[in-house]
Amino acid sequence: MGWVMVSVTQLQYILAVEKEQNFHRAAKACFVTQPTLSKMIKNLEEDLGVAIFDRSKSPVAPTLVGKSILKQAKQALYDIERIREIVDEQKGEIRGELKVGIIPTIAPYLVPNFLASFRSQYPAVELSIWELTTENCLQALDKEQIDLAILATEENKQNYYQEALYDEAMYLYINEKHPLAKRTRIHIDDLEADQMWLLEEGHCLRDEIIKLCHLRRLEANRPLGLDIKIGNLESLRYLVQENFGYTLLPELSAIRLPAKEKKLLRTFNKPIPFRSVNLTMRRRYLKQASIQALKAEILTNTKKQLKL
């Protein structure tokens, strides 16, 4: 077999079929008709002399050789995109799409800090922000649905690359009638599981608080004996205000509280509990110019607010 000319479009089409596992959905995702997409892929298969997909299966699956071709197609498109980035960087331009996943306990408090300034500084960047749990952020990174995730966890270094962004202290948010509310500072060992309101499972902040506070027997020691699945910090605050007990709030969320609620905050004696926030990317990643620009804007507009 001689040289085979493969177009970027053909590579995009076969990767779309791999992702969608269906020719019709792949064509829709590529904004072409199914006959157009099918013909382009069929021409490629004929030129290569192999079948990339087993069309007898439902959903459509790659053949053994197809898996190798698809892996190389991803690398080829990555290299092409990197060439474009190199040219833009040489010109001093930062442009293109940047899709960012941010966990719910960070997004509402961090995004307002940098959004306006980033848009002003880099109008050619099409910024998309998705609020996702840690697990969903990692899945979106793996599927290349997002370019970057802002997480408060350390991930497997073989699969992901992480850069430290900032550390933020944790504050105790406590019901005004609780005995500990009489203190100005709290020690982490003073906290009890049966008085701690936590987010539902799936939120990394829940796991972090359990670890920081050395909490045990959570199932047997729920606040007020209630099993309430809570998905956001605002609901936790309302539960503390109107019922009993306490919760831990990250510093950025505490900064934005109204004055009346700030009276319910207590700091900790050393060692002060804190969490580390990281930029998280796949081991192979693009868009470094726009990612570093975003990082700089976040640090400029956020770090000066934090005590750590």
Side-chain angles (χ1 to χ4, degrees), residues 6-21 44 52-53 62 65-84 139-145 282 284-286:
V6 181
S7 71
V8 172
T9 302
Q10 286 174 315
L11 297 181
Q12 291 170 334
Y13 285 177
I14 62 174
L15 290 176
V17 172
E18 179 193 33
K19 179 181 178 181
E20 300 294 338
Q21 299 180 302
L44 176 60
I52 299 174
F53 295 104
V65 68
K67 291 179 181 179
S68 298
I69 292 170
L70 289 162
K71 182 179 179 180
Q72 195 61 43
K74 289 177 184 176
Q75 181 63 48
L77 289 180
Y78 171 88
D79 292 337
I80 291 168
E81 184 61 31
R82 183 61 192 138
I83 290 172
R84 292 172 180 154
Q139 289 177 357
L141 281 173
D142 293 341
K143 294 178 181 178
E144 300 185 1
Q145 296 171 332
R282 297 174 71 242
R284 186 185 73 183
Y285 56 93
L286 291 167

Side-chain angles (χ1 to χ4, degrees), residues 38 108 149 171 213 229 272:
S38 297
Y171 286 81
C213 301
K229 297 190 183 300
I272 298 172

Side-chain angles (χ1 to χ4, degrees), residues 265-277:
L265 292 174
R266 297 294 182 272
T267 55
F268 284 93
N269 291 315
K270 293 182 179 180
I272 298 172
F274 70 93
R275 70 172 178 177
S276 297
V277 177

Side-chain angles (χ1 to χ4, degrees), residues 44 50 61 71 83 89-90 94 106 132 139 150 170 174 189 194 202 208 219 235 237 255 282 286:
L44 176 60
V50 296
K71 182 179 179 180
I83 290 172
E89 289 168 8
Q90 184 65 30
I94 299 179
I106 294 177
L132 302 167
Q139 289 177 357
I150 298 179
M170 303 295 287
I174 190 166
D189 292 337
D194 61 356
E208 190 67 19
E219 294 303 316
S235 295
R237 290 182 6 238
I255 288 170
R282 297 174 71 242
L286 291 167

Side-chain angles (χ1 to χ4, degrees), residues 17 21-23 25 52-64 67:
V17 172
Q21 299 180 302
N22 179 279
F23 277 80
R25 290 196 300 270
I52 299 174
F53 295 104
D54 184 346
R55 293 162 174 79
S56 67
K57 293 184 177 180
S58 183
V60 174
T63 60
L64 186 61
K67 291 179 181 179

Side-chain angles (χ1 to χ4, degrees), residues 156-174:
N156 188 322
K157 293 181 180 179
Q158 293 184 340
N159 298 327
Y160 305 100
Y161 172 76
Q162 292 189 293
E163 292 183 13
L165 193 55
Y166 61 83
D167 293 337
E168 61 179 336
M170 303 295 287
Y171 286 81
L172 188 70
Y173 186 81
I174 190 166

